Amino acid sequence: MLLEVNDLHVSYGAIRALKGVSCQVGEGEIVALIGANGAGKTTTLRTISGLIRPQSGSITYKGIAITKMPPHEIVGLGLCQVPEGRRVFTRMTVMENLEMGAYIRKDKSSVKEDIKKVFQRFPRLEERKDQLSGTLSGGEQQMLAMGRALMSRPNVLLMDEPSMGLAPMLVQEIFAIIKEINETGTTILLVEQNAHMALSIAHRAYVLETGEVVLVGPAKDLANNPEVQKAYLGE
């Protein structure tokens, strides 16, 4: 497996956020983590990214233990997170945000090439390349956050709630782009409140409840599971 999370325990003070979460992501997959608010989905991603230290448990990527690595070293290995709420650098232009995405790269000569590729994928960003990113719409900021992450040439993209706060039409567009990014060779671990959309593009999925994995399986099977339909798909 490309990424393996084993028996993670994380607490915020007296609150136990993760109680033994384990999951795996294979090369080329889209794996979704679904569940209600407070289920531990974002905490799982942030722990993988090195932003949170677990009390116990292990995370390995390509067989390398990354549990205690600082975030910038994890990005250097090829794992990059698109954070919840976009978190673009609002006082920087679109172009400057994209350049920031490549800050750890040594191959500066090919950065321009990759910016061109981002603009091909997100034409709206090219139209606004000199605009301050704080003035972009929510959907454009999400595209910029994705584009900025792609600038680090990740093997694995960790995506946290990409549809949050977006109009339904834009949600469709963002998910089509996520699928396309995956088809061009990037593995994706996706945390998403919109279980319907997540299960429609994922290969496999894990259902989290109060910090524990309660269901796991092929995304199609989970989408057809009556419990999942009732709890997360509004059916």
Side-chain angles (χ1 to χ4, degrees):
M1 278 289 167
L2 185 62
L3 176 66
E4 291 192 68
V5 173
N6 189 38
D7 198 25
L8 278 193
H9 289 260
V10 172
S11 296
Y12 299 118
I15 298 161
R16 292 175 67 210
L18 299 184
K19 308 166 195 166
V21 165
S22 297
C23 61
Q24 298 181 323
V25 184
E27 183 93 51
E29 282 190 306
I30 298 177
V31 173
L33 301 181
I34 64 170
N37 262 336
K41 307 184 303 295
T42 292
T43 300
T44 302
L45 280 200
R46 288 173 65 81
T47 309
I48 294 168
S49 297
L51 297 166
I52 293 173
R53 282 280 157 91
Q55 269 81 32
S56 60
S58 65
I59 305 159
T60 55
Y61 171 64
K62 291 185 172 175
I64 301 162
I66 62 168
T67 324
K68 292 178 179 166
M69 260 187 204
H72 69 278
E73 284 183 22
I74 291 172
V75 172
L77 286 176
L79 273 107
C80 189
Q81 184 166 346
V82 182
E84 182 184 354
R86 277 88 62 192
R87 308 255 176 93
V88 296
F89 302 112
T90 54
R91 294 181 181 184
M92 294 167 87
T93 65
V94 166
M95 189 63 121
E96 287 165 342
N97 266 270
L98 293 176
E99 287 165 351
M100 281 297 284
Y103 81 101
I104 58 155
R105 283 174 52 180
K106 307 279 188 280
D107 57 329
K108 297 300 176 194
S109 56
S110 50
V111 167
K112 281 197 173 90
E113 248 342 278
D114 284 357
I115 287 175
K116 261 189 213 163
K117 284 180 193 165
V118 169
F119 287 155
Q120 280 164 2
R121 187 166 264 145
F122 304 105
R124 257 178 284 181
L125 294 183
E126 184 166 26
E127 290 162 22
R128 292 160 173 70
K129 67 178 190 288
D130 301 317
Q131 204 170 308
L132 288 181
S133 44
T135 64
L136 301 177
S137 71
E140 289 158 356
Q141 287 190 8
Q142 183 61 56
M143 290 172 191
L144 178 56
M146 288 162 73
R148 185 180 63 191
L150 289 171
M151 287 301 297
S152 72
R153 289 195 169 171
N155 295 343
V156 180
L157 208 48
L158 307 168
M159 305 204 70
D160 196 0
E161 303 284 6
S163 79
M164 188 185 268
L166 300 185
M169 247 175 71
L170 262 176
V171 172
Q172 296 278 355
E173 189 180 340
I174 292 291
F175 272 85
I177 293 164
I178 293 169
K179 202 165 179 239
E180 187 191 305
I181 289 168
N182 172 249
E183 283 162 0
T184 54
T186 306
T187 301
I188 293 171
L189 179 58
L190 171 69
V191 156
E192 182 51 64
Q193 195 75 27
N194 185 335
H196 220 298
M197 287 303 294
L199 293 174
S200 75
I201 66 163
H203 299 98
R204 292 186 306 111
Y206 293 81
V207 179
L208 268 70
E209 269 178 27
T210 58
E212 295 178 275
V213 173
V214 292
L215 280 170
V216 57
K220 280 196 179 86
D221 292 358
L222 290 179
N224 294 322
N225 179 314
E227 283 175 60
V228 174
Q229 288 177 342
K230 196 173 158 203
Y232 306 109
L233 305 179
E235 290 171 16

